[in-house]
Amino acid sequence: MVSVDDLRALLARVYVHDDDYLSRQCERYAEAARHFVGLYGEEPTHFYRAPGRVNLIGEHTDYNLGYVMPTAIDRDVVIAARPREDDLIRGANVEGRRFEPFEFRISQSVPSGPVGHWGNYPRGAAQRLARAAKRPLLGMDAVFTGTQPYGTPMGVGLSSSTSLTVVSTLAIAHLNEVAAADQHLAELASQAEWYVGTRGGVMDHFASVLGRGGHALFLDCLPEGPGRYRMDLIPLPPGYRLVVCSTNVRHENTRSEFNTRVFECRVAAYMIREHLTQVRHLRDVSEEHLGLSRSEVDALIAELLPESILGADLIESGIAAEVAADMPASFEVDSGRPYRVRQRCRHVVTENRRVRDSADALRKGDVEAFGRLMDEAHSSVRDDYEVSILPVEAMVAAASEAPGSVGARLTGAGWGGCVVSMVAEAKVEEFSRSVSERYLRDTGIESEIIVCNSATGAQAIVPA
Ligand code: NG1
């Protein structure tokens, strides 16, 4: 077993806050290792970790190949692992009662576990890597830990599923010596997550792999051509903290509504392309790409896109078939539903501008300007993208008006989840108290307030 001192020395490079925090992290890794020995009768040889993320601005832009600005946070999923000589992957969780163990063989076509089983994320990772590697891969025994308060909180929009997918992708790739540079690893992990039936973008995975402590990650999600995945690490303003306020509400139909938004954006891009062939994705509806002014771009959207278009009309015109080809199999166009293409497009186009304006504001240290952009971004996801719900509105109201707040917005996909605020460090306690009291009073729901530190992206931690 790796000695406590060795483990501490390794982890000191990862968890940099203070000694007490480091000791608690060491205990967490040691617990995973003990669990490993109890289960598999041998010691783990490697540890891997991948953090969650909070998105500062740039919502629903990534799958339109636009801009995002998340940061990795100091909550992660950790694996203790040992390579195997065959193709079996066995996984267990330190919270064995909550998360049942799984096992499967790595191949280019890994059968899915039961719907909603956490093991489907490692399955997706293994399948994606097997397809990428084009050679047989070896398996591993693994113990996962995402236990609170250090694990990525689940179901609140901080990307616990991405932490799990990224850490699995990293572990399998590393143990098999599949050379994957960070950027490629992030891309593979994002495709691995499609295995569970969403068509999400790359933001969460890039943040989880490439995030750096003290920085926001500005990312251009364009996957091809010169400047692909252009990134810039932008220092977060000193004297402020990111505070994540969980509504403790998550709608069940999130996945199908999410896919509907993806579909609406693709329809919008298709309809604009019929007039302007240089528009392939909604990211291309921009001043630079079209050589127009902001107001000309806005006018163009209003002119070329109907407010809504009925599913039946999309089916009849053949647009649905063209656009839905790349959607998950579970997605169906509803003939009776009006698809709101104009306002979806307007959100994406204005949000892309806001991300770039935010990057400029943070580079200049203009926190107030950034706060205003956060507020505007929230109005846009609420009114144009329609992914907010009443508890989120209650939380945004509470967070915007609480002491120390410079801005507040829904973060993540929506339909519940979390609100992120930038808060003056000296006021964080007052802010947290005010938000939780007011949210409880207005909604009758308890909230969870998470004061985040930004953190470093996914890592292999290999004892000598
Ligand atoms: P969350 O909040 O983790 O469900 C989803 C997508 C992101 C992005 C955001 C909206 C996945 C894995 N994540 O995030 O890529 O599109 O919604 O900005 O699909």
Side-chain angles (χ1 to χ4, degrees), residues 373-394:
L373 289 160
M374 288 178 95
D375 294 342
E376 284 170 30
H378 182 72
S379 306
S380 183
V381 289
R382 180 191 58 216
D383 301 336
D384 274 348
Y385 224 66
E386 296 181 288
V387 298
S388 187
I389 56 173
L390 285 176
V392 170
E393 289 311 305

Side-chain angles (χ1 to χ4, degrees), residues 53 58-60 62-63 157 159 162 193 198 200-201 203-205 250 258 412-413:
R53 65 95 183 95
E59 227 58 80
H60 295 281
D62 59 351
Y63 53 82
S159 295
T162 293
E193 203 161 330
T198 43
M203 160 170 70
D204 305 347
H205 313 82
R250 188 84 176 171
F258 182 92

Side-chain angles (χ1 to χ4, degrees), residues 168-242:
S168 305
T169 309
L170 173 64
I172 301 166
H174 186 260
L175 291 175
N176 279 284
E177 294 173 17
V178 174
D182 284 354
Q183 190 173 306
H184 189 41
L185 186 79
E187 208 177 356
L188 286 172
S190 79
Q191 292 159 1
E193 203 161 330
W194 295 355
Y195 183 87
V196 302
T198 43
R199 262 300 175 272
V202 296
M203 160 170 70
D204 305 347
H205 313 82
F206 269 76
S208 182
V209 174
L210 288 134
R212 290 292 169 268
H215 292 80
L217 177 72
F218 171 87
L219 172 68
D220 180 340
C221 298
L222 186 69
E224 77 256 344
R228 71 190 287 268
Y229 295 131
R230 190 167 54 86
M231 277 176 264
D232 190 13
L233 285 164
I234 302 177
L236 288 166
Y240 291 88
R241 294 293 288 273
L242 291 169

Side-chain angles (χ1 to χ4, degrees), residues 60-61 63-66 261-262 264-270 272-273 279-286 305 341 344-346 348-349 352 385:
H60 295 281
T61 45
Y63 53 82
N64 290 302
L65 312 192
R261 295 297 183 281
V262 177
E264 287 173 319
C265 289
R266 290 184 184 183
V267 170
Y270 184 96
I272 296 178
R273 186 161 57 242
V279 170
R280 292 153 308 150
H281 313 281
L282 287 189
R283 78 163 276 127
D284 299 328
V285 185
S286 70
L305 295 176
V341 286
R344 307 303 185 237
C345 175
R346 190 164 54 211
V348 173
V349 170
N352 277 329
Y385 224 66

Side-chain angles (χ1 to χ4, degrees), residues 77-307:
V77 175
V78 169
I79 298 184
R82 187 177 179 99
R84 291 179 58 92
E85 311 260 291
D86 59 14
D87 58 1
L88 194 64
I89 293 201
R90 297 196 288 178
N93 195 297
V94 293
E95 293 177 84
R97 288 222 183 94
R98 226 174 131 206
F99 301 99
E100 282 182 14
F102 61 82
E103 61 175 67
F104 62 88
R105 295 190 181 280
I106 304 190
S107 75
Q108 294 193 25
S109 182
V110 175
S112 172
V115 173
H117 193 289
W118 67 287
N120 285 335
Y121 296 93
R123 283 173 196 266
Q127 174 175 289
R128 184 67 196 89
L129 282 168
R131 290 182 184 177
K134 299 194 182 77
R135 64 170 162 92
L137 296 181
L138 295 177
M140 65 176 177
D141 288 332
V143 166
F144 293 71
T145 175
T147 310
Q148 299 306 305
Y150 306 109
T152 315
M154 283 178 54
V156 296
L158 294 178
S159 295
S160 59
S161 56
T162 293
S163 304
L164 183 54
T165 309
V166 169
V167 78
S168 305
T169 309
L170 173 64
I172 301 166
H174 186 260
L175 291 175
N176 279 284
E177 294 173 17
V178 174
D182 284 354
Q183 190 173 306
H184 189 41
L185 186 79
E187 208 177 356
L188 286 172
S190 79
Q191 292 159 1
E193 203 161 330
W194 295 355
Y195 183 87
V196 302
T198 43
R199 262 300 175 272
V202 296
M203 160 170 70
D204 305 347
H205 313 82
F206 269 76
S208 182
V209 174
L210 288 134
R212 290 292 169 268
H215 292 80
L217 177 72
F218 171 87
L219 172 68
D220 180 340
C221 298
L222 186 69
E224 77 256 344
R228 71 190 287 268
Y229 295 131
R230 190 167 54 86
M231 277 176 264
D232 190 13
L233 285 164
I234 302 177
L236 288 166
Y240 291 88
R241 294 293 288 273
L242 291 169
V243 184
V244 174
C245 308
S246 169
T247 59
N248 275 332
V249 177
R250 188 84 176 171
H251 268 197
E252 272 170 19
N253 63 353
T254 301
R255 182 177 299 176
S256 82
E257 279 302 310
F258 182 92
N259 286 336
T260 299
R261 295 297 183 281
V262 177
F263 176 72
E264 287 173 319
C265 289
R266 290 184 184 183
V267 170
Y270 184 96
M271 294 179 89
I272 296 178
R273 186 161 57 242
E274 287 187 321
H275 301 271
L276 294 167
T277 48
Q278 68 270 47
V279 170
R280 292 153 308 150
H281 313 281
L282 287 189
R283 78 163 276 127
D284 299 328
V285 185
S286 70
E287 294 77 83
E288 304 72 37
H289 197 73
L290 300 176
L292 299 172
S293 68
R294 276 194 182 189
S295 55
E296 285 168 337
V297 171
D298 297 344
L300 195 80
I301 296 169
E303 189 192 312
L304 296 183
L305 295 176
E307 208 163 290

